[in-house]
Amino acid sequence: MTQDVEMKDRPTPSNSVSSAVPSTLQHLKDIALLIETGSYSKEVRRIARAVRFTVALRKKLTTPVIASFLDHALGQGSEVYSRISVYLPKDDEHDMEVDTATSANLAPVKHLLPELEIYCYLLVLLFLIDQKRYNEAKACSSASIARLKILNRRTIDVLASRLYFYYSYSYELTGDLAEIRGNLLSLLRTATLRHDEISQETLLNLLLRNYLHYNLYDQAEKLRSKAPRFEAHSNQQFCRYLFYLGKIRTIQLEYTDAKESLLQAARKAPVAARGFRIQCNKWAVIVRLLLGEIPERTIFMQKGMENALRPYFELTNAVRIGDLELFKSVAEKFANTFNTDRTHNLIVRLRHNVIRTGLRNISISYSRISLADVAKKLRLDSPNPVADAKSIVAKAIRDGAIDATIDHEKGCMVSRETGDIYSTNEPQIAFNSRIAFCLNMYNEAVRALRFPPNNTHKEKESAEKRRERQQQEQELAKHIAEEDDDDF
Amino acid sequence: MSSAVVASLLAMHSGGKKYLPALQSSQQAEQKQQLWKVTTMDPKFAEASQLFGRFNAALTRNDFDSCTNLLSQLKVMLTEFKSLPPLFEKTPNTTHELTLAREVYEHAVILSVKMEDQDAFERDFCQLKPYYTDACDRIPPSPQEYPILGLNLLRLLVQNRIAEFHTELELLSPSALENPCIKHAVELEQSFMEGAYNRVLSARQTVPHQSFVYFMDLLAKTVRDEIAGCSEKAYDYLSISDARQMLLFSSDEQLMEYIKEEHPDWEVKTGMVFFQKAKETAHSKEIPSLQLINQTLSYARELERIV
């Protein structure tokens, strides 16, 4: 479950200033510059972009590169430099590099931006995690969190949210997630007080993940339902939120809502996040089975997921046929997979769906069948199969799974003629839900459009035209917002 | 404290456990021995243990009034120990204090079952839970943990709080699921969901623990309501004797009374129970015009915005 849903954005060529193939160090320096301008002009977007570039550079980072970057950014010998460089792994190569750097770079220590400092922490932390030095990563992240608590600048928020993420991630890798729960909660409080929505979003997800890691669904739901909701800032965080929400709802038997969240999470997740999408699909399959739906075959045939979804495919097959024996053997065969996926308890719940499907098949094929035969066909292995079958059929009738009556004297189940569905309101309801879905999709797309705050690119249209257009857009946005208010 | 008093208290203490003979273990007895040794050191702890001894004695005598009395005193006393949740401070005899507190709450739960008080059960169980989840690395596991967790699952089932039932279930480890007390509750839920009600009822004979009986009796009532609900949908009519058998009544009079109270819409004539009336409200051919108008108007509005 430790997948990292990160957009793998590549830096656009226009950003590499110096040469066609600039060195990693040069890239880092560019990023530092980006952060500086972002910090001075108070543009959060620039800093967000800087973080994205860094992630793209992740694979190329080495100790000497980072050491010399720290050198460049923080200034050799400064207090911050010594604080951060402690965490870099010490090897001979690194020492040599530092020596040369010292002789070369004796620039006066300039005034240090807090953004840059935090960025350096983030860079080192990323590097440590990639190098699998988890204990150092834990120490480094804890130090950076302590530092972050003192700083209160909106331009840091983006960096802070990333740091929180890796903070929790490094603790998860060493299996000490429970330790930082209190810390995360206090960070969430601080972020809420500072109206730092990006961090709030990230921290809420981290806490949910933390609780779910220990199966504390109750606490997770209590936190989730009370946390303030706002428009998502980051698609990845929103995906995660939906996934956790789906899981909680599944456990609490709200299958319809769970299905919606899980499917949405799977759809919104970036293509690169394969592990995450596999998880979403696994849960979505189970939830759909629990709802009595049979997922289409294409779900299991998605590229790169065939193997991971194999156990769930066989499970679906067993439920589709309604064969209890087959279901049992599949559950046993893949018991290990289900246990590691922690879906075992859900699979146990499925048993009754298998019976339902079997019963539905029987009810469709026979207009009249004795209860003893029903029990035999369902392969109910119990001391009193006929009595079991009777009450199971009765319950299925009440829940609307089959349309039939039981003739008590003759001991048989009589199926009713299936009515014409087009004489009911059913088609109209289905049609309405589809239209609502499409309209909602359009509205969300309109709302998701973003415009840069100051139009740096040359506008071809005249000022007047633009004003007119903007006014229209605003009106449209206002309309949609009002609509929303009406709806809820 | 004189050794004679300690000995007599000890006797009472172990006597108080008689109703749980299966759960007694020699290891526990040893723990208790240690417990008493510490008693002599800390006066507050000594007082609490002494009170607990008296509470246990009262519980054995089924003297519920003095039990509740002593229990509230005990609970107040427990608040003074800093080693207990949520503070978890380190004190010299943390283990003993935690163990005592856990036992107090365990017995409180048992008491609530004996007194058939579901609200008290929920309260006491909530207080007990941190000792199983958060304090498990500080004190050795309690032998009563699984029976009590099983009881709680059963309670949730009886109260038809299935979502919470599953939330609790997720917290249990695979090995815990194998425990007979837990397994019993899990299997009951399964049979209940499937509709195999006679399996639920026959499970009463195989209760893994005496205190489960109370909840099983409650469950029987829930099952009867379920069967009644299913029957009225599944059957057109039933003979009175069949209905009596299915709804688990011993006499026709009881059945009649039940029908009068719970299902006045059932019709009884010529030795038959007819369920037709309950079904007739199913279909109405009316067109939901107001809803349709609303929907169509909203489509028009949305489309206008797009074009």
Side-chain angles (χ1 to χ4, degrees), chain A residues 337-437:
Chain A
T337 325
F338 296 144
N339 273 333
T340 42
D341 287 346
R342 298 201 275 181
T343 46
H344 176 259
N345 285 340
L346 297 176
I347 309 274
V348 172
R349 286 190 212 173
L350 267 179
R351 192 188 129 89
H352 120 258
N353 286 65
V354 180
I355 296 177
R356 279 284 157 84
T357 336
L359 204 56
R360 207 176 302 148
N361 288 344
I362 293 172
S363 138
I364 292 171
S365 351
Y366 298 88
S367 59
R368 173 188 286 266
I369 182 170
S370 78
L371 288 169
D373 284 341
V374 171
K376 214 186 287 167
K377 279 190 177 298
L378 291 176
R379 299 202 223 182
L380 300 170
D381 49 341
S382 64
N384 193 354
V386 178
D388 272 2
K390 192 159 63 179
S391 52
I392 289 174
V393 170
K395 188 157 195 263
I397 292 173
R398 191 198 53 176
D399 294 351
I402 52 173
D403 198 6
T405 49
I406 303 175
D407 191 331
H408 188 79
E409 279 148 40
K410 295 186 187 123
C412 60
M413 174 176 102
V414 184
S415 305
R416 267 195 221 130
E417 293 289 310
T418 43
D420 178 18
I421 198 156
Y422 286 97
S423 66
T424 64
N425 289 331
E426 199 74 18
Q428 193 245 328
I429 293 166
F431 184 53
N432 177 46
S433 76
R434 285 177 201 190
I435 294 180
F437 177 82

Side-chain angles (χ1 to χ4, degrees), chain A residues 167-231:
Chain A
Y167 171 58
S168 161
Y169 188 48
S170 60
Y171 275 81
E172 183 174 328
L173 288 170
T174 49
D176 308 312
L177 264 185
E179 257 174 58
I180 57 167
R181 203 177 293 151
N183 242 336
L184 289 178
L185 281 167
S186 76
L187 284 171
L188 179 61
R189 265 201 303 277
T190 321
T192 313
L193 288 175
R194 289 176 179 171
H195 299 289
D196 174 0
E197 293 192 351
I198 301 178
S199 299
Q200 264 172 273
E201 197 175 57
T202 316
L203 286 165
L204 178 63
N205 277 339
L206 290 176
L207 276 165
L208 289 182
R209 185 186 184 86
N210 201 317
Y211 285 130
L212 295 194
H213 188 82
Y214 297 97
N215 282 347
L216 296 165
Y217 287 93
D218 197 23
Q219 280 94 326
E221 171 58 19
K222 277 180 182 144
L223 174 71
R224 190 204 64 78
S225 55
K226 282 169 185 77
R229 284 303 299 154
F230 32 78
E231 221 173 304

Side-chain angles (χ1 to χ4, degrees), chain A residues 58-89:
Chain A
R58 213 167 144 177
K59 291 228 168 60
K60 293 187 206 146
L61 294 177
T62 56
T63 318
V65 168
I66 294 185
S68 40
F69 173 70
L70 291 184
D71 208 39
H72 163 82
L74 306 172
Q76 180 83 27
S78 71
E79 191 206 343
V80 183
Y81 176 82
S82 52
R83 234 188 293 149
I84 298 180
S85 58
V86 179
Y87 300 109
L88 278 182

Side-chain angles (χ1 to χ4, degrees), chain A residues 145-160:
Chain A
I145 297 295
R147 187 86 187 94
L148 267 178
K149 279 186 182 160
I150 313 168
L151 302 166
N152 181 12
R153 284 165 77 114
R154 291 291 68 76
T155 37
I156 289 187
D157 291 350
V158 180
L159 294 168

Side-chain angles (χ1 to χ4, degrees), chain A residues 443 446-447 470-486, chain B residues 305:
Chain A
N443 285 340
V446 170
R447 245 177 300 176
Q470 277 171 346
Q471 204 178 352
Q472 273 177 357
E473 273 165 10
Q474 269 175 3
E475 262 172 32
L476 186 62
K478 219 168 100 187
H479 257 300
I480 295 176
E482 276 171 7
E483 278 302 309
D484 269 8
D485 289 345
D486 289 349
Chain B
R305 196 189 284 158

Side-chain angles (χ1 to χ4, degrees), chain B residues 81-135:
Chain B
F81 293 119
K82 287 206 169 58
S83 60
L84 304 184
L87 289 171
F88 283 126
E89 274 176 29
K90 284 257 179 297
T91 54
N93 43 3
T94 306
T95 332
H96 300 294
E97 285 170 10
L98 278 172
T99 321
L100 179 75
R102 187 177 64 187
E103 262 182 66
V104 169
Y105 288 123
E106 275 172 353
H107 284 80
V109 169
I110 304 279
L111 172 70
S112 67
V113 176
K114 281 190 165 191
M115 289 174 67
E116 313 198 338
D117 182 348
Q118 292 187 39
D119 291 337
F121 182 98
E122 187 169 359
R123 249 187 340 262
D124 292 326
F125 182 78
C126 285
Q127 278 173 313
L128 176 61
K129 219 174 148 193
Y131 293 91
Y132 292 147
T133 51
D134 300 345

